[in-house]
Amino acid sequence: DQQVKQNSPSLSVQEGRISILNCDYTNSMFDYFLWYKKYPAEGPTFLISISSIKDKNEDGRFTVFLNKSAKHLSLHIVPSQPGDSAVYFCAASEGDYGQNFVFGPGTRLSVLP
Amino acid sequence: DAGVIQSPRHEVTEMGQEVTLRCKPISGHNSLFWYRQTMMRGLELLIYFNNNVPIDDSGMPEDRFSAKMPNASFSTLKIQPSEPRDSAVYFCASSLTQRYGYTFGSGTRLTVV
């Protein structure tokens, strides 16, 4: 049973518009969340994180929102650029020093010029 | 820093053969993780080490899989005997104790024919 779900396998967005990638989790003990971006033939790279004590974290064009009651988080990319085209993974862990991150299956984002 | 280094990048082997994947983590990182990526299951944690000690190997699919970390700068993942269903991309990642996410290697694409 998947503890971290990304129900949209793929998403296409026009350049300049907003991309919203969603992630749901089932384990209420998860308290730290990460987003990774992966290009073909490369390893995933860390993008942005959020702790459960916050409901929003921003880094440039990237913002992650966390809704603990709904066990839902989302990644917003504004404005979207063609270079953002990649697979995005959501990951979650529990505990103050949790090392065991559980990854979602990923969403492939295509930003169309 | 050269990042997490994995070898080989590609491996094609015949069913029944032994396969050894190698990983050199980032110097100073004290945790090392082996992940497998498949289309069906996304990124799955196979095993992780903390200070060279295996902490959680519950993700190792079968006894055919084994992993070692003889020192802080080297780890291996071995599959013996290999089977076609082991075909996947295997990622190694390392991190510090703090939860700043992992740094992934570029992966080894394994094909078992």
Side-chain angles (χ1 to χ4, degrees):
Chain A
D1 183 33
Q2 281 189 335
Q3 294 188 73
V4 179
K5 304 177 184 181
Q6 293 176 258
N7 292 323
S8 297
S10 63
L11 175 69
S12 291
V13 172
Q14 209 67 38
E15 181 179 4
R17 305 295 289 268
I18 183 171
S19 295
I20 300 177
L21 297 101
N22 294 304
C23 177
D24 297 286
Y25 59 96
T26 58
N27 186 345
S28 58
M29 298 299 291
F30 285 149
D31 61 356
Y32 198 74
F33 306 88
L34 307 173
W35 283 94
Y36 279 83
K37 180 166 73 171
K38 184 184 179 304
Y39 293 118
E42 294 183 13
T45 55
F46 171 73
L47 191 58
I48 193 169
S49 66
I50 189 166
S51 165
S52 61
I53 62 174
K54 303 173 86 171
D55 54 18
K56 177 182 173 182
N57 189 25
E58 274 184 274
D59 184 2
R61 296 185 299 112
F62 302 91
T63 303
V64 57
F65 295 92
L66 175 62
N67 183 333
K68 291 184 289 295
S69 60
K71 297 192 187 69
H72 176 84
L73 63 157
S74 60
L75 175 68
H76 293 211
I77 307 173
V78 184
S80 303
Q81 299 173 353
D84 297 329
S85 298
V87 177
Y88 289 79
F89 292 97
C90 168
S93 76
E94 63 177 280
D96 286 341
Y97 297 97
Q99 286 290 297
N100 186 356
F101 281 91
V102 179
F103 282 77
T107 296
R108 181 177 300 279
L109 173 66
S110 299
V111 180
L112 309 173
Chain B
D1 197 324
V4 176
I5 300 172
Q6 290 187 247
S7 63
R9 287 299 306 269
H10 302 275
E11 177 80 40
V12 180
T13 191
E14 291 186 347
M15 182 173 65
Q17 296 296 307
E18 177 181 295
V19 175
T20 299
L21 311 180
R22 296 172 176 80
C23 176
K24 177 178 166 51
I26 290 175
S27 177
H29 282 190
N30 59 2
S31 295
L32 182 140
F33 308 81
W34 282 101
Y35 277 84
R36 176 170 70 175
Q37 183 187 17
T38 61
M39 289 295 292
M40 293 296 294
R41 300 173 70 90
L43 274 168
E44 302 175 90
L45 177 66
L46 300 177
I47 184 171
Y48 82 92
F49 297 83
N50 194 37
N51 293 320
N52 312 338
V53 176
I55 302 300
D56 183 354
D57 65 355
S58 59
M60 297 285 261
E62 299 170 34
D63 290 345
R64 299 184 295 106
F65 286 69
S66 62
K68 294 183 180 179
M69 191 165 186
N71 56 62
S73 59
F74 184 66
S75 176
T76 59
L77 177 67
K78 187 175 294 187
I79 308 172
Q80 165 65 18
S82 57
E83 296 182 4
R85 61 192 166 120
D86 301 331
S87 298
V89 180
Y90 290 80
F91 288 102
C92 175
S94 68
S95 74
L96 291 173
T97 303
Q98 296 88 339
R99 295 190 302 168
Y100 295 132
Y102 310 157
T103 300
F104 281 84
S106 298
T108 294
R109 180 174 294 279
L110 173 66
T111 304
V112 183
V113 298

